Amino acid sequence: PLLTQIDTRACPQLTNLDARLKELDWPLLNKFRNYPSRVIGSGDRGQNDGEFNKPWSACFDEASQRLAVSEYDNHRVQILDTLHSYESRGMIGQGNGSEAGQLLNPRGVCLQATTHHLVVCDGGNHRIQLFSMDDYKFVLQFGSRGREPGQFDFPFGVASASSGSLVVVDKDNHSVQIFDSLGHFVRRFGQQGNRPHELKGPRCVCIDSYGRYLIADRDNKRICVWSSDGSQCIRTLPVG
């Protein structure tokens, strides 16, 4: 489940998603290879149930077979039921704003491993918010705009470790931050640059079976593999 996060802007396989979400044969998800491909949404921008406006990221809840899709310009996360023709089952986000539970240009999403909460990069508000997947209500938030530890400058991607700790890609601070399951800052690694231990405009992150962090270092056109404690970049893989 740690590799079920898909960031539509960081991954070149996901294209033409301005007003629609298309299921693809994603190479990291071998168990989904035999699932039929299909298009979700009308192809037109909209704000109604089942419509999208710049779908940005998605994650899949295997337990309930629901798909959570963040919508950049609708300032919400839409929950779709994959067992019933991808019908919309609810919205997360109470409109464009900065109050708790509101979203502004949300980006990456994931499910927290221990609580099953939906974790949302509330990019325009420079914070992370957690929501219950039972009733879609706000649970907690952390972060603010800035350059100090625990602050963000456009968080783009997020992943959950098996312990429930959260790994957040901090795009314009050119770094990655790690928080415990309650959102308390633990550590940060990376700085702006193009050397192996540096990042430039990172977009998304996932965690492999060894606990290593795979980071889409977009502006350096590479994938960086960092150790599980964030102390070193083990290798870089050029892309594009």
Side-chain angles (χ1 to χ4, degrees), residues 135-208:
D135 56 15
Y136 309 142
K137 291 184 178 180
F138 168 80
V139 175
L140 64 87
Q141 64 178 334
F142 58 91
S144 61
R145 190 169 196 175
R147 299 191 177 278
E148 298 300 318
Q151 294 184 312
F152 303 109
D153 196 357
F154 292 105
F156 255 63
V158 62
S160 172
S162 58
S163 64
S165 64
L166 300 173
V167 185
V168 181
V169 169
D170 192 5
K171 172 182 169 284
D172 285 352
N173 281 330
H174 311 284
S175 62
V176 175
Q177 298 195 59
I178 301 175
F179 300 83
D180 69 15
S181 59
L182 297 177
H184 300 130
F185 175 80
V186 176
R187 62 184 177 273
R188 177 171 64 184
F189 60 88
Q191 61 186 23
Q192 186 173 6
N194 57 16
R195 291 182 294 179
H197 63 283
E198 296 174 330
L199 300 167
K200 189 176 181 182
R203 293 301 200 272
C204 67
V205 59
C206 67
I207 305 172
D208 70 11

Side-chain angles (χ1 to χ4, degrees), residues 38-73:
R38 62 176 296 164
V39 173
I40 307 167
S42 64
D44 297 319
R45 297 186 184 188
Q47 298 180 346
N48 297 321
D49 290 358
E51 295 179 334
F52 303 100
N53 196 349
K54 290 189 179 178
W56 192 279
S57 181
C59 66
F60 182 65
D61 180 4
E62 294 186 58
S64 65
Q65 298 290 292
R66 288 175 296 177
L67 185 70
V69 182
S70 64
E71 298 183 64
Y72 184 86
D73 277 353

Side-chain angles (χ1 to χ4, degrees), residues 27-132:
L28 291 176
L29 304 178
N30 291 325
K31 60 186 171 182
F32 295 131
R33 282 188 178 276
N34 296 322
Y35 281 26
S37 297
R38 62 176 296 164
V39 173
I40 307 167
S42 64
D44 297 319
R45 297 186 184 188
Q47 298 180 346
N48 297 321
D49 290 358
E51 295 179 334
F52 303 100
N53 196 349
K54 290 189 179 178
W56 192 279
S57 181
C59 66
F60 182 65
D61 180 4
E62 294 186 58
S64 65
Q65 298 290 292
R66 288 175 296 177
L67 185 70
V69 182
S70 64
E71 298 183 64
Y72 184 86
D73 277 353
N74 277 339
H75 312 288
R76 69 186 184 188
V77 178
Q78 189 166 179
I79 309 299
L80 304 172
D81 187 346
T82 65
L83 296 178
H84 297 88
S85 301
Y86 290 85
E87 294 178 1
S88 180
R89 293 302 186 192
M91 306 291 177
I92 287 176
Q94 302 169 10
N96 177 358
S98 59
E99 298 297 321
Q102 293 182 319
L103 298 171
L104 179 61
N105 303 132
R107 291 175 168 87
V109 293
C110 77
L111 289 175
Q112 189 173 35
T114 51
T115 65
H116 218 58
H117 293 327
L118 182 72
V119 186
V120 182
C121 288
D122 187 9
N125 287 318
H126 309 281
R127 65 186 178 186
I128 301 297
Q129 294 200 69
L130 276 67
F131 297 85
S132 169

Side-chain angles (χ1 to χ4, degrees), residues 11-30:
C11 302
Q13 291 92 332
L14 302 184
T15 56
N16 301 322
L17 283 173
D18 192 29
R20 63 177 64 189
L21 178 68
K22 185 176 183 180
E23 292 179 280
L24 298 177
D25 185 13
W26 184 242
L28 291 176
L29 304 178
N30 291 325

